[in-house]
Amino acid sequence: MLTHLAIRDFAVVTAAELEFGAGLTVISGETGAGKSLLVDALGFLSGQRADSGMVRHGAERAELHAEFDLAASDDARQWLREEEFDDGDACQLRRTLRADGGSRAWINGRPATLSQLAALAGRLVEIHGQHEHQALLSRPSQLALLDAFGGHDALLAAVSGAAQRWSALLRERDTLTRAREGRPGDVTERGEWLEHQLAELDREPIDPASIADLDASHRRQAHSAGLIAACDSALARLDGDDSAALPRLLQQLRGELVRMHEHEPRLAEVDAMLDAAAIQLDEAGLLLERVRADLDVDPVQLDELERRLTRLHELSRKHQVAPEGLEAQRDALAAELDSLRNAAVRLQALDGEITAAGDGWRKAAEVLGKARTKAGKALSKATTALITELGMGGGHFEVALEPAETGRPDPQGAERVEFLVSANAGQPPRPLRKVASGGELSRISLAIEVAALGHDAVPTMVFDEVDSGIGGATAEIVGQKLRALGQSRQVLCVTHLPQVAAQGHAHYRVSKAASDGVTQSAVQQLDARQRQEELARMLGGVEVSTEARAAARRLLRNAS
């Protein structure tokens, strides 16, 4: 949900900050005051191509900043995590437009590309209006909305999974086929090469434990002379009979302390520690004798150990892995050899598995196609009824499904969708993206969103001049539909009709004034009294009459 929008030096807006909440927020103002600039700002924050003409005259750059609460936007949070832009349940979009035509963008304070900005914004805000950059004009978005409307998540997952399995089996078959055809090498030659490599590796113990033992044995033999000298010297100090031997010195020390401990009881504790030390010295001497017995200067053994280590390092360089990675390399080569030996059998089995996977996809796609047909009829009926309510009498909406000519299992199913609309009776339906009237397009988009109420994943919807070309009872119905949509989604609507504005949960007014010969726009959030005056102005024009104020109060009372 959009919570904050800040604009600086954008078109005729010097500076403006808006706070948004849930429900329907309406934006009104005099013609030419710049009501749609707020929609334009969101459009640029959604990745629209930079336009230096939108920088306020005399300024170096325009700055746009939006903050969103992602508590109910799982799709956006997941995208942020995958792209490493995540920052809790809050999200900030920022973009600058320079007067020389350049622009920069940031997501949560980190530089971002326009494609990343557009990908994220598409999960946060959807703009419906007299512009061609609308999600509902995109056929993939239309298909996604139809599937959401029909609750096809499980069916679509089954189709996607079957298509992915088919593709994986096909890739495996292609890999084996290329190998058998001599790319990168003939199977027989490759197999002989693999057998030779495995034979080389199997001649040496290459498991990590054996390599560690070999390295330890080499170090011990390489330093055997020094180790023997060190052991002999230590044993002489531990087991010698001269007065400098450690056990004799320790015994003398204990004797001296025993004579004195009756005068200081704590010396008894010291004697106990020295007694334990004497035991440890005896055990150390026994271990030293065993170590010394294992040591021997053996040049032949040293040469053998060095030869084995050299061989291991040669294998490491040959296979471009560390010595500890040779075992894994051997296992990989053995697996490839096994695969080559069984390639013919596996290829034969793959043909059957690919056929079965294709059949599975077709069955799943057929079930999904039937569900889409049923959902399309329901969405068509509901949207057509709403189009009539919205002042397009005789209008007709149709969800057309046509085969997807991909020639292979498609994760999206066996069909594509096109939203068709006839704005007037007697006219043939045409693709929604080719509807000429911006006002009609806005109302049709509103009808589709209301018909699919609660199914669109985008949390914020913006309607620009959705009430263009209508009035009276139809305008009130449009306002009611927008308010109803605001029960499950955040809705922003730029309007010039009081019947629509009265339905808002919050109301902003955009005004313009000349300062030092320069026209500037200002945005103000209206309280209850100001809102009544604005509706009266919208009803009565420049001169606000008592009757207009009374009518404004009635509109607000009826809306609430």
Side-chain angles (χ1 to χ4, degrees):
M1 180 178 74
L2 177 65
T3 59
H4 181 80
L5 177 64
I7 302 172
R8 182 176 298 277
D9 293 329
F10 184 69
V12 292
V13 178
T14 302
E17 295 200 23
L18 296 83
E19 302 291 336
F20 297 97
L24 170 62
T25 298
V26 295
I27 302 168
S28 66
E30 297 177 359
T31 301
K35 300 186 295 297
S36 294
L37 287 177
L38 303 180
V39 179
D40 293 336
L42 287 174
F44 282 111
L45 282 168
S46 297
Q48 185 177 329
R49 187 177 297 275
D51 183 354
S52 60
M54 299 303 294
V55 180
R56 188 176 64 84
H57 179 70
E60 293 183 358
R61 65 179 181 272
E63 295 190 18
L64 309 171
H65 178 92
E67 297 179 12
F68 292 84
D69 182 349
L70 304 180
S73 303
D74 294 337
D75 190 24
R77 286 204 304 272
Q78 180 179 349
W79 185 92
L80 286 166
R81 283 194 298 270
E82 292 173 352
E83 297 292 327
E84 298 183 351
F85 284 111
D86 52 315
D87 191 16
D89 283 341
C91 176
Q92 297 181 353
L93 304 184
R94 179 171 174 251
R95 189 175 179 189
T96 59
L97 308 174
R98 296 198 306 271
D100 61 8
S103 74
R104 295 180 65 190
W106 294 264
I107 297 175
N108 284 334
R110 302 162 204 167
T113 64
L114 287 188
S115 60
Q116 289 174 321
L117 196 67
L120 175 58
R123 292 164 167 80
L124 295 173
V125 61
E126 190 170 274
I127 300 176
H128 302 268
Q130 302 178 50
H131 305 282
E132 59 182 0
H133 306 286
Q134 297 184 44
L136 275 180
L137 301 184
S138 161
R139 296 187 68 179
S141 296
Q142 293 175 0
L143 184 62
L145 188 144
L146 177 63
D147 285 333
F149 176 78
H152 301 154
D153 288 351
L155 298 178
L156 187 58
V159 170
S160 178
Q164 290 172 5
R165 172 164 172 73
W166 182 88
S167 297
L169 292 170
L170 195 67
R171 286 194 299 271
E172 183 182 355
R173 187 180 67 180
D174 290 344
T175 299
L176 289 176
T177 301
R178 284 195 301 270
R180 289 176 62 84
E181 291 175 350
R183 297 185 301 270
D186 181 79
V187 174
T188 302
E189 292 180 1
R190 179 68 176 175
E192 292 175 353
W193 182 84
L194 288 170
E195 288 176 348
H196 175 72
Q197 303 305 314
L198 287 171
E200 280 188 333
L201 290 169
D202 286 337
R203 282 196 290 270
E204 301 291 339
I206 56 175
D207 59 283
S210 296
I211 293 176
D213 288 344
L214 175 62
D215 186 61
S217 297
H218 178 264
R219 288 200 306 274
R220 184 168 54 250
Q221 187 56 237
H223 297 87
S224 58
L227 289 170
I228 290 173
C231 289
D232 288 343
S233 174
L235 286 170
R237 291 175 179 272
L238 287 175
D239 296 334
D241 295 331
D242 58 49
S243 59
L246 289 177
R248 187 179 298 276
L249 291 174
L250 189 60
Q251 190 62 33
Q252 292 175 354
L253 178 59
R254 290 186 62 196
E256 294 174 1
L257 293 176
V258 166
R259 289 193 297 272
M260 301 302 297
H261 81 265
E262 63 179 318
H263 306 301
E264 173 51 75
R266 286 179 295 178
L267 290 178
E269 185 176 352
V270 174
D271 181 64
M273 293 179 181
L274 293 176
D275 183 43
I279 295 173
Q280 291 290 325
L281 283 175
D282 290 341
E283 293 181 355
L286 293 174
L287 180 58
L288 265 175
E289 289 176 354
R290 289 196 297 271
V291 171
R292 174 62 183 85
D294 292 338
L295 292 172
D296 189 16
V297 178
D298 188 344
V300 176
Q301 183 184 16
L302 179 60
D303 289 343
E304 174 63 17
L305 291 172
E306 288 182 344
R307 186 199 66 77
R308 291 176 59 190
L309 277 176
T310 300
R311 180 60 180 155
L312 280 177
H313 286 293
E314 288 175 350
L315 290 172
S316 297
R317 287 193 297 272
K318 181 176 182 178
H319 293 277
Q320 297 182 350
V321 295
E324 294 76 14
L326 287 171
E327 184 179 35
Q329 175 70 0
R330 181 192 61 192
D331 293 344
L333 294 175
E336 184 182 352
L337 180 60
D338 185 63
S339 176
L340 282 177
R341 287 170 175 170
N342 297 299
V345 177
R346 180 57 183 155
L347 276 172
Q348 186 176 1
L350 277 172
D351 289 337
E353 291 181 23
I354 290 171
T355 300
D359 292 340
W361 176 85
R362 278 185 287 275
K363 290 178 181 178
E366 183 179 355
V367 174
L368 176 60
K370 290 179 179 178
R372 282 172 169 170
T373 299
K374 181 179 179 180
K377 291 178 180 178
L379 182 59
S380 297
K381 182 178 179 181
T383 304
T384 296
L386 286 165
I387 286 175
T388 301
E389 286 188 65
L390 296 177
M392 298 174 64
H396 178 74
F397 177 82
E398 180 182 335
V399 176
L401 294 171
E402 57 188 40
E405 302 294 340
T406 61
R408 55 187 295 150
D410 191 312
Q412 294 299 313
E415 55 277 315
R416 292 294 179 265
V417 69
E418 180 83 78
F419 286 177
L420 305 178
V421 65
S422 172
N424 300 291
Q427 292 183 350
R430 294 186 301 154
L432 180 63
R433 52 193 164 86
K434 295 184 179 180
V435 173
S437 167
E440 289 176 348
L441 180 57
S442 296
R443 275 176 278 159
I444 293 167
S445 299
L446 172 61
I448 295 171
E449 293 295 350
V450 173
L453 191 62
H455 296 289
D456 198 317
V458 179
T460 299
M461 296 179 180
V462 182
F463 292 90
D464 184 17
E465 301 287 356
V466 71
D467 47 22
S468 176
I470 63 173
T474 302
E476 188 169 353
I477 292 172
V478 170
Q480 291 171 355
K481 298 303 181 185
L482 287 167
R483 189 179 180 95
L485 189 59
Q487 299 301 316
S488 61
R489 294 289 183 271
Q490 182 189 42
V491 180
L492 279 61
C493 178
V494 175
T495 181
H496 67 278
L497 292 181
Q499 295 93 333
V500 174
Q503 296 289 336
H505 298 95
H507 192 154
Y508 278 97
R509 179 179 64 205
V510 181
S511 59
K512 65 177 181 178
S515 176
D516 296 329
V518 178
T519 300
Q520 297 183 4
S521 290
V523 185
Q524 177 186 11
Q525 185 170 13
L526 306 181
D527 58 25
R529 185 188 62 79
Q530 293 168 331
R531 190 174 182 190
Q532 178 181 302
E533 285 297 307
E534 174 65 4
L535 292 180
R537 181 198 65 77
M538 296 170 75
L539 283 163
V542 179
E543 296 295 332
V544 178
S545 64
T546 302
E547 291 78 4
R549 290 189 175 92
R553 286 194 296 272
R554 186 164 55 253
L555 284 174
L556 289 170
R557 184 169 60 250
N558 292 340
S560 62

